[in-house]
Amino acid sequence: MKFRTATSSVARSNTPPKRFSLRIAVWLLDNPHLGAKPSIKQVAGHLLKQPARQGVVLAQSRLGQLMCRDCGSSRDQRIGQELLRQAARAGDRVAQQELSKIED
């Protein structure tokens, strides 16, 4: 019985690897049938949040784009621009292009 409890608590404490959540989020956003739906964008944004916080450039770029394009609040758009700036500083070309569109 103790063995079951120990493994179940370990399994619950483990979070999915950031690469997996990043792959799923990018796949959802790039899928032509799913990527346009607001609920899918919300799920993808949630999946991108942790890798973006951990400094994954692709996650920063995609989450920044998502927040700048699809969020109505000025706070979310400011956060999106900051994520794009971080990704652009790291050399992400898409983030650089998106940032230049926003700032023009």
Side-chain angles (χ1 to χ4, degrees):
M1 197 73 164
K2 285 185 180 181
F3 182 73
R4 273 189 165 172
T5 306
T7 56
S8 63
S9 65
V10 169
R12 273 188 255 130
S13 68
N14 289 340
T15 57
K18 61 185 173 185
R19 290 182 189 166
F20 180 73
S21 62
L22 179 62
R23 278 191 202 172
I24 296 297
V26 169
W27 179 81
L28 286 171
L29 293 172
D30 289 345
N31 186 308
H33 299 292
L34 297 174
K37 296 180 181 181
S39 60
I40 297 299
K41 290 179 182 180
Q42 186 175 15
V43 169
H46 181 72
L47 291 171
L48 289 169
K49 189 188 284 187
Q50 188 62 35
R53 284 182 179 163
Q54 294 174 345
V56 178
V57 176
L58 179 59
Q60 291 172 337
S61 178
R62 294 303 294 261
L63 184 58
Q65 292 173 50
L66 192 62
M67 292 180 84
C68 286
R69 291 178 186 165
D70 297 311
C71 292
S73 75
S74 59
R75 177 184 176 271
D76 287 345
Q77 289 180 350
R78 282 192 309 269
I79 293 168
Q81 287 178 355
E82 182 55 35
L83 287 168
L84 286 173
R85 281 188 199 96
Q86 290 173 6
R89 273 186 249 127
D92 188 289
R93 294 270 183 194
V94 176
Q96 292 169 353
Q97 292 170 349
E98 191 71 27
L99 200 54
S100 68
K101 285 180 194 176
I102 293 169
E103 292 176 347
D104 285 344

